[in-house]
């Protein structure tokens, strides 16, 4: 993917829809999810459609991402209602990427065909691993064979893009086991692969277990696992276009590219986050609070953050530097390279400027660069402050 | 003026918490010096820190009017003494202002090293020492054992030791009568030229420096022109008077009397504790004996955590010095810690008190380097120079020798701990001298040991090895040449001055290994490998490496939740603010403190 193509996603119109339902909550998960409340699915989808229909009309979306939770837990009819609402209110572009997250165990042949028929063309499977002990430790309820079957059904049903999510660095998992997962993945020839380091989040069962002395993921092991995957996927024709994402050419996730290009995306459902008109906003996180607010005719939105000027420039770097193509340096990049922190990062080879782009050359140390970016002061404000000092000294 | 025959000047010698302040309160109450309404717990300890820690830092005095059962009207001057070894010079000056001392011992705890040291000071000063056992009301009290110990030290029979409870007042009347009977009245020459001893001073924001003094010979009148014999300064007596404890101005203080003097001097170091005051016109031929310049024994660098607080620290030190002439400092620049001050203290407690006051009263966040002592370096040309900071030690080729201060340390301990204490002391190059049994259960251990070996963690280790039962006192006994080396700690090849230490050659390897090992635990992983080395000159004696960090990246963007990720990283960034850049290495502030902390195995 060329840098220009990647940057052009800044003008894309995207939308995210959240489906919080799960059969059980995985021990590491801290998303806005709910298990054992399938009784709420219809009310929830009704609220979701009401929220979509109540949103200010925009333009046809070029990428629609239905994530969760476990969207594949919903009846296809309910998913169809959601797509229909987006189509009616904003439109869905003819060549749009319409993506859905699915658990392998949900993805039978009939389900796959139905989803394809109602308009989904991309599916992202929460495969996580091909190792039974790792899947069990991660609290997943499928096995390796089910992943393979799900991919097969997706292909047969005509999905144009199939993605697998993998998790590496689970305590106790050997590099050999991880290599096995990567090989099985490559053998399935998906179009897109995401590899995420297992992260211990506060407030999750995993977080509590680690707090009580259970082994935590070893960052050195995770680093080796990441490099192993990067080499193997690269050799198999997958390009890493973002810190955690690899794709065959043309199969990069457009919704994600929009987010990282600082583009605009609508957001619907509990705990969903959007970005539009320079404003980042989020919805009520609790499902019942969300449903009740929408049913009362109130907005489920609870927080907003407006970024303009320097803050927006910082944000452009902050999101854009996750991409392999990096960013046009701009005033933020210039400030970063001039700052002592930036100098340190350049010396350590974490960031670099090549062919007019500022890039994170060591993605495994990306947060080092991100923290430096967040600490950058607006050069104009500094100049103003300096001149103000001069005035007061004269006076 | 008060007739000398009616005066009794005395102080109370007691260990921390053995009840000196409570007894003082009781005496004030009995003699009506303080009304019930004014009675605040422990009137004499006025500084907050003193009240909290239960110790007396600044001595005070109070004049008590006492009518004996026989109807005799007497004046009792109670001269308070600071209760810690660091202030032994101040104690000696207070004692020099008295004819008697009450040796007060906790009935449950028995004699402690400091009490003993101060009791010896009192005996040496020729004072009448009256032994008393306090807290006899306590359930754990063993007055007989404590009395036996006191009798063992002072001679005489345990039966003659007074027994009292300052808390309940039991025995206090007996005590007063004994004091009047046993403590000699002063016997100064009223017609001789004036000689008055300055035994303490403090700074008052409105009046300037207030001196506490004891007239020995002659008399001192308000408005007199006075010469301070050690400093040579001449000042007028603006106001003189008694402390009851309220200041009561009087026209004249006669021989034997204790009171205060205000001259209008604003700088505390112009009035020296221990100086002799005489008349400018009719001076005494010789000063009273025993004057010494204040001499710092222990040095430590104090650095503000926030570099912007440097001026605030300077102001705070200057304010503390208004009341503490013994506190000295000079600016110091550390590559690791930035700008700060190398401060000199009388001892460890003094250092701790100053640090605590700076942090508490002046709201400063400080990093203190490991305490060290003043070394004397013999230069190639035979000149001797004093260094107070390890950085100043010349390279081996640029010096002929180094000597270090030794102290005579005295430890009082239950006999079961003699073995562990001897092991501790000899492990610190201590040379054991006398071992004397005060009673079969309590032992006095004397040894000579380099002060540098006890300034750091010796006291804490002593306490932990003896479950808090042993007590320590020490006095300087001069300098001795030692085979000392400077161990530098290098981070990424650069020496970090704050971690340098002067240690004995035999202990250098152990010190190097300990520090590099600790720092490896304390320094977070960086973008590159960080070698941590200990070196003597160019020779590396220990090495550890903090491996470069390999992964520091958020896995996922949380479904477009940019704000959350930003906040997460922002929080991590705040954490990084408490890092000091040492060269290109980020070192957490805590590392400077933690690396120097006491550990059991050392």
């Amino acid at each position: 993917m060329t840098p220009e193509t990647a940057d052009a996603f800044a003008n894309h119109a995207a939308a995210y829809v959240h489906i919080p339902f799960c059969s059980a909550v995985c021990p590491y998960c801290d998303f806005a999810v709910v298990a054992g409340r399938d009784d709420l699915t219809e009310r929830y989808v009704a609220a979701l459609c009401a929220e979509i229909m109540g949103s200010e009309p925009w333009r046809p979306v070029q990428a629609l991402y239905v994530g969760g939770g476990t969207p594949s837990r919903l009846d296809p009819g309910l998913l169809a209602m959601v797509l229909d609402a987006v189509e009616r209110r904003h439109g869905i572009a003819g060549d749009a990427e319409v993506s859905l997250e699915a658990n392998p165990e949900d993805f039978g042949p009939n389900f796959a065909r139905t989803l394809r028929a109602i308009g989904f063309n991309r599916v992202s499977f929460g495969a996580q691993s091909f190792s039974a002990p790792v899947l069990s430790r991660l609290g997943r309820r499928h096995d390796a064979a089910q992943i393979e079957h799900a991919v097969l059904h997706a292909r047969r049903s005509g999905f144009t893009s199939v993605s697998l999510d993998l998790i590496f660095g689970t305590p106790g998992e050997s590099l050999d086991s991880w290599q096995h997962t990567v090989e099985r993945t490559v053998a399935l020839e998906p179009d897109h692969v995401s590899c995420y380091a297992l992260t211990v989040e506060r407030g999750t069962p995993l977080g509590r277990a680690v707090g009580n002395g259970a082994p935590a993921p070893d960052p050195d092991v995770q680093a080796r696992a990441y490099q192993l995957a990067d080499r193997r996927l690269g050799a198999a024709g997958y390009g890493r276009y973002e810190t955690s994402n690899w794709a065959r050419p043309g199969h990069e996730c457009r919704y994600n590219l929009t987010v990282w290009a600082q583009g605009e995306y609508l957001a619907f459902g509990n705990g969903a986050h959007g970005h539009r008109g320079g404003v980042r906003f989020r919805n009520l996180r609790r499902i019942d609070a969300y449903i009740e607010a929408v049913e009362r005719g109130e907005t489920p939105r609870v927080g907003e953050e407006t970024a303009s000027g320097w803050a927006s420039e910082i944000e452009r770097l902050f999101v854009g530097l996750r991409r392999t193509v990096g960013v046009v340096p701009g005033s933020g990049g210039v400030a970063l390279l001039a700052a002592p922190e930036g100098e340190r990062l350049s010396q350590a080879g974490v960031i670099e400027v090549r062919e007019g782009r500022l890039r994170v050359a060591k993605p495994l140390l990306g947060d080092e660069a991100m923290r430096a970016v967040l600490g950058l002061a607006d050069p104009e404000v500094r100049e103003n402050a300096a001149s103000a000092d001069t005035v007061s000294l004269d006076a | 003026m008060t007739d000398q025959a009616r005066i009794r000047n005395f102080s109370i010698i007691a260990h921390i918490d053995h009840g000196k302040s409570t007894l003082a309160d009781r005496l004030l109450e009995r003699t009506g010096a303080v009304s019930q309404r004014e009675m605040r717990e422990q009137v004499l300890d006025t500084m907050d820190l003193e009240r909290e820690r239960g110790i007396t830092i600044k001595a005070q005095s109070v004049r008590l009017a006492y009518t004996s059962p026989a109807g005799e009207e007497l004046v009792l001057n109670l001269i308070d003494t600071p209760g810690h070894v660091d202030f032994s010079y101040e104690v000696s000056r207070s004692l020099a202002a008295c004819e008697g001392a009450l040796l007060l011992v906790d009935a449950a705890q028995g004699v402690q090293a400091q009490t003993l040291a101060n009791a010896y000071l009192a005996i040496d000063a020729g004072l009448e020492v009256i032994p008393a056992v306090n807290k006899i009301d306590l359930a754990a009290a063993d007055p007989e054992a404590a009395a036996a110990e006191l009798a063992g030290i002072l001679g005489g029979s345990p039966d003659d030791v007074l027994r009292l409870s300052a808390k309940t007042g039991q025995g206090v009347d007996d005590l007063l009568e004994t004091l009047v009977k046993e403590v000699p009245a002063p016997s100064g020459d009223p017609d001789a030229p004036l000689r008055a001893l300055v035994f303490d001073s403090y700074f008052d924001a409105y009046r300037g420096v207030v001196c506490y003094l004891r007239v020995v010979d002659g008399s001192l009148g308000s408005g007199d022109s006075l010469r301070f014999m050690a400093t040579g300064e001449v000042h007028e007596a603006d106001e003189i008077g008694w402390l009851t404890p309220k200041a009561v101005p009087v026209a004249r203080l006669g021989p034997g009397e204790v009171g205060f003097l205000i001259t209008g001097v604003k700088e505390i170091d112009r009035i020296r504790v221990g100086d002799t005051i005489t008349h400018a016109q009719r001076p005494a031929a010789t000063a009273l004996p025993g004057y010494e310049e204040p001499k710092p024994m222990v040095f430590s660098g104090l650095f503000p955590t926030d570099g912007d607080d440097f001026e605030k620290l300077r102001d705070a030190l200057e304010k503390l010095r208004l009341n503490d002439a013994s506190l000295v400092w000079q600016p110091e620049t550390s590559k690791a810690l930035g700008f700060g001050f190398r401060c000199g203290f009388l001892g460890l407690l003094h250092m701790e008190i100053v640090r605590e006051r700076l942090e508490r009263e002046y709201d400063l966040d400080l990093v203190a380097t490991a305490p060290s002592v003043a070394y004397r370096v013999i230069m190639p040309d035979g000149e001797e120079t004093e260094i107070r900071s390890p950085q100043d030690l010349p390279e081996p080729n640029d010096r002929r020798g180094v000597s270090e201060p030794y102290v005579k340390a005295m430890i009082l301990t239950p006999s079961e701990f003699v073995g562990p204490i001897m092991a501790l002391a000899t492990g610190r190059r201590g040379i054991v001298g006398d071992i004397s049994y005060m009673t079969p259960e309590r032992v006095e251990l004397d040894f000579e040991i380099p002060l540098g070996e006890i300034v750091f963690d010796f006291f804490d280790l002593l306490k932990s090895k003896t479950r808090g039962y042993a007590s320590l006192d020490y006095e300087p006994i001069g300098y001795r040449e030692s085979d000392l080396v400077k161990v530098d700690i290098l981070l990424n090849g650069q020496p970090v001055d704050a971690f340098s230490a002067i240690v004995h050659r035999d202990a250098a390897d152990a010190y190097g290994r300990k520090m590099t090992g600790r720092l490896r635990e304390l320094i977070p992983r960086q973008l590159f490998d960080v070698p941590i080395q200990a070196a003597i000159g160019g020779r590396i004696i220990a090495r550890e490496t903090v491996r470069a960090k390999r992964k520091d990246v958020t896995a996922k963007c949380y479904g477009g939740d940019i704000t959350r990720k930003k906040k997460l990283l922002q929080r991590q960034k705040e954490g990084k603010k408490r890092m000091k850049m040492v060269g290109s290495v980020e070192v957490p502030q805590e590392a400077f403190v933690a690396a120097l902390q006491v550990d059991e195995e050392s």
Side-chain angles (χ1 to χ4, degrees), chain A residues 30 197 201 220 222 224 227 244 265 273 280 305 315 318-319 322 363-368 370-371 374-375, chain B residues 525 527 549-566 569 572-573 576 586:
Chain A
D30 80 332
E201 302 284 356
D220 288 353
Q222 291 192 328
R224 283 200 290 276
Q227 281 156 351
S244 308
Y265 48 101
H273 290 72
R280 295 202 176 272
E305 184 189 296
E315 192 186 87
F318 184 75
V319 292
R322 284 186 71 91
L364 277 171
L365 296 174
D367 281 3
E368 284 275 346
M370 297 305 181
R371 281 190 291 268
L374 287 178
Chain B
R525 298 170 72 179
L527 293 175
K549 83 161 116 183
R550 301 191 54 189
K551 175 181 169 287
D552 181 359
V553 67
T554 315
K556 210 167 178 174
C557 243
Y558 305 111
D561 185 357
I562 305 301
T563 313
R564 172 175 166 178
K565 178 161 182 256
K566 233 191 275 182
L569 291 170
Q572 293 172 352
K573 215 176 152 49
K576 280 199 156 197
E586 287 176 331

Coordinates of all heavy atoms in Angstrom, one line a residue, chain A residues 30 197 201 220 222 224 227 244 265 273 280 305 315 318-319 322 363-368 370-371 374-375, chain B residues 525 527 549-566 569 572-573 576 586:
Chain A
D30 N -11.6 -6.7 28.0 CA -12.2 -5.6 28.8 C -13.0 -4.7 27.9 O -13.1 -3.5 28.1 CB -11.1 -4.8 29.6 CG -10.4 -3.9 28.7 OD1 -10.2 -4.2 27.5 OD2 -9.9 -2.9 29.2
A197 N -0.6 -9.1 21.0 CA 0.0 -9.5 22.2 C -1.0 -9.6 23.3 O -1.8 -8.7 23.5 CB 1.2 -8.6 22.6
E201 N -5.3 -6.5 31.3 CA -6.0 -5.3 31.6 C -6.6 -5.3 33.0 O -7.0 -6.4 33.5 CB -7.2 -5.1 30.6 CG -6.8 -5.1 29.2 CD -6.2 -3.8 28.7 OE1 -6.2 -2.8 29.5 OE2 -5.8 -3.7 27.5
D220 N 9.6 -10.1 26.7 CA 10.7 -10.5 25.8 C 10.2 -11.7 24.9 O 10.5 -11.8 23.7 CB 11.9 -11.0 26.6 CG 12.6 -9.8 27.2 OD1 12.2 -8.6 26.9 OD2 13.5 -10.0 28.0
Q222 N 7.1 -12.2 24.1 CA 6.1 -11.6 23.1 C 6.9 -10.9 22.0 O 6.4 -11.0 20.8 CB 5.2 -10.6 23.9 CG 4.3 -11.3 24.8 CD 3.2 -10.4 25.3 OE1 3.4 -9.2 25.5 NE2 2.0 -10.9 25.6
R224 N 9.7 -11.8 20.7 CA 10.2 -12.9 19.8 C 9.1 -13.4 19.0 O 9.2 -13.7 17.8 CB 10.9 -14.0 20.6 CG 12.3 -13.6 21.0 CD 13.2 -14.8 21.4 NE 12.8 -15.4 22.6 CZ 13.2 -15.1 23.8 NH1 14.0 -14.0 23.9 NH2 12.8 -15.7 24.9
Q227 N 8.2 -11.1 16.2 CA 9.1 -11.1 15.1 C 9.0 -12.3 14.3 O 9.1 -12.3 13.1 CB 10.6 -10.9 15.7 CG 10.8 -9.5 16.0 CD 11.9 -9.3 17.1 OE1 12.4 -10.2 17.7 NE2 12.3 -8.0 17.3
S244 N -0.2 -4.2 14.4 CA -0.6 -5.6 14.6 C -1.3 -6.2 13.5 O -2.0 -7.2 13.6 CB -1.6 -5.5 15.8 OG -1.1 -4.9 16.9
Y265 N -15.5 8.5 11.5 CA -16.3 7.3 11.6 C -17.5 7.5 12.6 O -17.3 8.0 13.7 CB -15.5 6.0 11.9 CG -14.5 6.2 13.0 CD1 -14.8 5.7 14.3 CD2 -13.3 6.8 12.9 CE1 -14.0 5.8 15.4 CE2 -12.4 6.9 13.9 CZ -12.7 6.4 15.2 OH -11.9 6.5 16.2
H273 N -17.2 4.1 20.0 CA -16.5 5.4 19.9 C -16.5 5.9 18.5 O -16.2 5.1 17.6 CB -15.0 5.2 20.3 CG -14.9 5.0 21.8 ND1 -15.2 3.9 22.4 CD2 -14.4 5.8 22.8 CE1 -15.0 4.0 23.7 NE2 -14.5 5.2 24.0
R280 N -14.3 13.7 19.0 CA -14.3 12.3 19.3 C -15.4 12.1 20.4 O -15.4 12.8 21.4 CB -12.9 11.8 19.9 CG -11.9 11.9 18.8 CD -10.7 11.1 19.0 NE -9.8 11.2 17.9 CZ -9.9 10.4 16.8 NH1 -10.8 9.4 16.7 NH2 -9.0 10.6 15.8
E305 N -14.7 14.9 23.0 CA -13.4 15.6 23.1 C -13.1 16.2 21.8 O -13.2 15.6 20.7 CB -12.3 14.5 23.4 CG -11.0 15.1 23.7 CD -9.9 14.0 23.8 OE1 -10.0 13.1 24.7 OE2 -9.1 13.9 22.9
E315 N -2.6 14.4 17.4 CA -3.4 13.2 17.2 C -3.2 12.5 15.8 O -3.2 11.3 15.8 CB -4.9 13.6 17.3 CG -5.9 12.5 17.4 CD -7.3 13.0 17.4 OE1 -7.8 13.1 16.3 OE2 -7.8 13.3 18.5
F318 N -0.2 10.6 16.4 CA -0.5 9.5 17.4 C -1.2 8.3 16.7 O -0.9 7.2 17.0 CB -1.4 10.2 18.5 CG -1.7 9.3 19.6 CD1 -0.8 9.0 20.5 CD2 -3.0 8.7 19.7 CE1 -1.0 8.2 21.6 CE2 -3.3 7.9 20.8 CZ -2.3 7.6 21.7
V319 N -2.2 8.6 15.9 CA -2.8 7.5 15.2 C -2.1 7.0 14.0 O -1.9 5.8 13.7 CB -4.3 7.8 14.8 CG1 -5.1 7.9 16.1 CG2 -4.4 9.0 14.0
R322 N 1.1 4.4 13.9 CA 0.9 2.9 14.0 C 1.0 2.3 12.6 O 1.2 1.1 12.5 CB -0.4 2.6 14.6 CG -0.5 2.8 16.1 CD -1.8 2.4 16.7 NE -1.9 0.9 16.7 CZ -1.6 0.1 17.8 NH1 -1.0 0.7 18.8 NH2 -1.7 -1.2 17.7
P363 N 8.3 -1.2 15.5 CA 6.9 -1.1 16.0 C 6.8 -1.7 17.4 O 5.9 -1.3 18.1 CB 6.2 -2.0 14.9 CG 7.2 -2.8 14.2 CD 8.5 -2.0 14.3
L364 N 7.7 -2.6 17.8 CA 7.5 -3.1 19.1 C 7.8 -2.1 20.2 O 7.5 -2.3 21.4 CB 8.5 -4.3 19.3 CG 8.0 -5.6 18.8 CD1 9.2 -6.7 18.8 CD2 6.8 -6.1 19.6
L365 N 8.4 -1.0 19.8 CA 8.7 0.1 20.8 C 7.8 1.3 20.5 O 8.1 2.4 20.9 CB 10.2 0.4 20.8 CG 11.1 -0.7 21.3 CD1 12.5 -0.3 21.2 CD2 10.8 -1.1 22.8
G366 N 6.7 1.1 19.8 CA 5.9 2.2 19.3 C 5.4 3.1 20.4 O 5.3 4.3 20.2
D367 N 5.1 2.5 21.6 CA 4.5 3.4 22.6 C 5.5 4.4 23.1 O 5.2 5.5 23.7 CB 4.0 2.6 23.8 CG 2.6 2.0 23.5 OD1 2.1 2.2 22.3 OD2 2.0 1.3 24.3
E368 N 6.8 4.1 23.0 CA 7.9 5.1 23.3 C 7.7 6.3 22.5 O 7.7 7.4 23.0 CB 9.2 4.5 23.1 CG 9.7 3.5 24.1 CD 10.4 4.1 25.3 OE1 10.7 5.3 25.2 OE2 10.5 3.5 26.4
M370 N 4.9 7.2 20.9 CA 3.6 7.8 21.2 C 3.7 8.7 22.4 O 3.1 9.8 22.4 CB 2.6 6.7 21.5 CG 2.3 5.8 20.3 SD 1.9 6.7 18.8 CE 1.7 5.3 17.7
R371 N 4.4 8.2 23.4 CA 4.5 9.1 24.6 C 5.3 10.4 24.3 O 4.9 11.4 24.8 CB 5.2 8.3 25.8 CG 4.3 7.3 26.5 CD 4.9 6.8 27.8 NE 6.0 5.9 27.4 CZ 5.9 4.6 27.3 NH1 4.8 4.0 27.4 NH2 7.0 3.9 27.0
L374 N 2.9 12.7 22.6 CA 1.9 13.3 23.5 C 2.5 14.4 24.3 O 1.9 15.3 24.8 CB 1.3 12.2 24.4 CG 0.3 11.3 23.8 CD1 -0.1 10.2 24.8 CD2 -0.8 12.0 23.2
G375 N 3.8 14.3 24.5 CA 4.5 15.4 25.3 C 4.9 16.6 24.5 O 5.5 17.5 25.1
Chain B
R525 N 14.0 -1.0 32.2 CA 14.7 -1.3 30.9 C 14.5 -0.1 30.0 O 13.5 0.6 30.0 CB 14.1 -2.5 30.3 CG 14.3 -3.7 31.2 CD 13.6 -4.9 30.8 NE 14.1 -5.5 29.5 CZ 13.6 -6.6 29.0 NH1 12.6 -7.2 29.5 NH2 14.1 -7.1 27.9
L527 N 15.8 1.9 26.0 CA 15.8 1.6 24.6 C 17.1 0.8 24.2 O 17.2 0.3 23.1 CB 15.7 2.8 23.8 CG 14.3 3.5 23.9 CD1 14.3 4.8 23.1 CD2 13.3 2.6 23.3
K549 N 14.8 -2.9 26.5 CA 13.5 -3.4 26.4 C 13.1 -3.7 25.0 O 13.6 -3.1 24.1 CB 12.5 -2.4 27.0 CG 12.1 -1.3 26.2 CD 10.8 -0.7 26.7 CE 11.0 0.8 27.2 NZ 9.9 1.4 27.8
R550 N 12.4 -4.8 24.9 CA 12.1 -5.3 23.5 C 10.7 -5.0 23.1 O 10.4 -5.0 21.9 CB 12.4 -6.8 23.5 CG 13.8 -7.1 23.9 CD 14.2 -8.5 23.6 NE 13.9 -8.9 22.2 CZ 13.9 -10.1 21.7 NH1 14.2 -11.1 22.5 NH2 13.7 -10.3 20.4
K551 N 9.8 -4.8 24.0 CA 8.4 -4.6 23.6 C 7.8 -3.5 24.5 O 7.8 -3.7 25.7 CB 7.6 -5.9 23.7 CG 6.2 -5.7 23.4 CD 5.4 -7.0 23.5 CE 3.9 -6.7 23.5 NZ 3.4 -6.1 24.7
D552 N 7.3 -2.5 23.9 CA 6.6 -1.5 24.6 C 5.6 -0.9 23.6 O 5.8 0.1 23.0 CB 7.5 -0.4 25.1 CG 6.8 0.7 25.9 OD1 5.5 0.6 26.0 OD2 7.5 1.6 26.4
V553 N 4.5 -1.6 23.4 CA 3.5 -1.1 22.4 C 2.1 -1.7 22.8 O 2.0 -2.8 23.3 CB 3.9 -1.5 21.0 CG1 3.8 -3.0 20.8 CG2 3.0 -0.8 20.0
T554 N 1.1 -0.8 22.7 CA -0.2 -1.3 22.9 C -0.7 -2.2 21.8 O -0.5 -1.8 20.6 CB -1.2 -0.1 23.0 OG1 -0.5 0.9 23.8 CG2 -2.5 -0.4 23.6
A555 N -1.2 -3.3 22.1 CA -1.6 -4.3 21.1 C -2.7 -3.7 20.2 O -2.5 -3.8 19.0 CB -2.1 -5.6 21.8
K556 N -3.7 -3.1 20.8 CA -4.9 -2.9 20.0 C -5.4 -1.5 20.2 O -5.1 -0.9 21.3 CB -5.9 -3.9 20.5 CG -6.9 -4.2 19.4 CD -7.7 -5.4 19.8 CE -8.7 -5.7 18.7 NZ -9.5 -7.0 19.0
C557 N -6.1 -0.9 19.3 CA -6.6 0.4 19.5 C -8.0 0.5 20.0 O -8.7 1.5 19.9 CB -6.5 1.2 18.1 SG -5.4 2.6 18.3
Y558 N -8.4 -0.6 20.7 CA -9.7 -0.6 21.4 C -10.9 -0.1 20.5 O -11.6 0.9 20.9 CB -9.6 0.2 22.6 CG -8.6 -0.2 23.6 CD1 -7.4 0.6 23.8 CD2 -8.6 -1.5 24.2 CE1 -6.4 0.2 24.6 CE2 -7.6 -1.9 25.0 CZ -6.5 -1.1 25.2 OH -5.5 -1.5 26.0
G559 N -11.1 -0.7 19.3 CA -12.2 -0.3 18.5 C -12.4 1.2 18.3 O -13.5 1.7 18.5
G560 N -11.3 1.8 17.9 CA -11.4 3.2 17.6 C -11.4 4.1 18.8 O -11.6 5.3 18.7
D561 N -11.1 3.6 20.0 CA -11.1 4.4 21.2 C -9.8 5.0 21.3 O -8.9 4.6 22.1 CB -11.5 3.5 22.4 CG -11.6 4.4 23.6 OD1 -11.4 5.6 23.5 OD2 -12.0 3.8 24.7
I562 N -9.6 6.1 20.6 CA -8.3 6.8 20.6 C -8.1 7.5 22.0 O -7.0 7.5 22.5 CB -8.3 7.9 19.5 CG1 -8.6 7.3 18.2 CG2 -7.0 8.7 19.5 CD1 -7.6 6.2 17.7
T563 N -9.1 8.0 22.5 CA -9.0 8.8 23.8 C -8.5 7.9 24.9 O -7.6 8.3 25.6 CB -10.4 9.3 24.2 OG1 -11.0 9.8 23.0 CG2 -10.3 10.3 25.2
R564 N -9.0 6.7 24.9 CA -8.5 5.8 26.0 C -7.1 5.5 25.9 O -6.3 5.5 26.9 CB -9.4 4.5 26.0 CG -8.8 3.5 26.9 CD -9.7 2.3 27.0 NE -9.0 1.3 27.7 CZ -9.5 0.1 27.9 NH1 -10.8 -0.2 27.5 NH2 -8.8 -0.8 28.5
K565 N -6.6 5.2 24.7 CA -5.2 4.9 24.5 C -4.3 6.1 24.9 O -3.3 6.0 25.5 CB -5.0 4.5 23.1 CG -3.5 4.2 22.8 CD -3.3 3.4 21.6 CE -1.9 3.1 21.4 NZ -1.2 3.9 20.4
K566 N -4.8 7.3 24.5 CA -4.1 8.5 24.8 C -3.9 8.6 26.3 O -2.9 8.9 26.8 CB -4.9 9.7 24.3 CG -4.0 10.6 23.4 CD -4.7 11.9 23.1 CE -5.7 11.7 21.9 NZ -6.3 13.0 21.5
L569 N -1.4 6.2 27.8 CA 0.0 6.6 27.6 C 0.3 7.9 28.4 O 1.4 8.0 28.8 CB 0.2 6.8 26.1 CG 0.2 5.5 25.3 CD1 0.1 5.9 23.8 CD2 1.3 4.7 25.6
Q572 N 1.3 6.8 31.8 CA 2.6 6.3 31.8 C 3.6 7.4 31.7 O 4.7 7.3 32.4 CB 2.8 5.3 30.6 CG 2.0 4.1 30.7 CD 2.1 3.3 29.4 OE1 2.6 3.7 28.4 NE2 1.5 2.1 29.4
K573 N 3.3 8.4 31.0 CA 4.2 9.6 30.8 C 4.4 10.3 32.2 O 5.5 10.7 32.5 CB 3.6 10.5 29.8 CG 4.6 11.2 29.0 CD 4.0 12.1 27.9 CE 4.9 13.2 27.6 NZ 6.3 12.7 27.4
K576 N 6.8 8.7 34.2 CA 8.2 9.0 33.7 C 8.7 10.3 34.2 O 10.0 10.5 34.3 CB 8.2 9.0 32.2 CG 8.2 7.6 31.6 CD 8.7 7.7 30.2 CE 9.3 6.4 29.7 NZ 10.2 6.5 28.5
E586 N 17.5 6.8 31.9 CA 16.4 7.3 32.8 C 16.5 6.5 34.1 O 16.3 5.3 34.1 CB 15.0 7.1 32.2 CG 14.8 8.0 31.0 CD 13.4 7.7 30.4 OE1 13.0 6.5 30.4 OE2 12.8 8.6 29.8

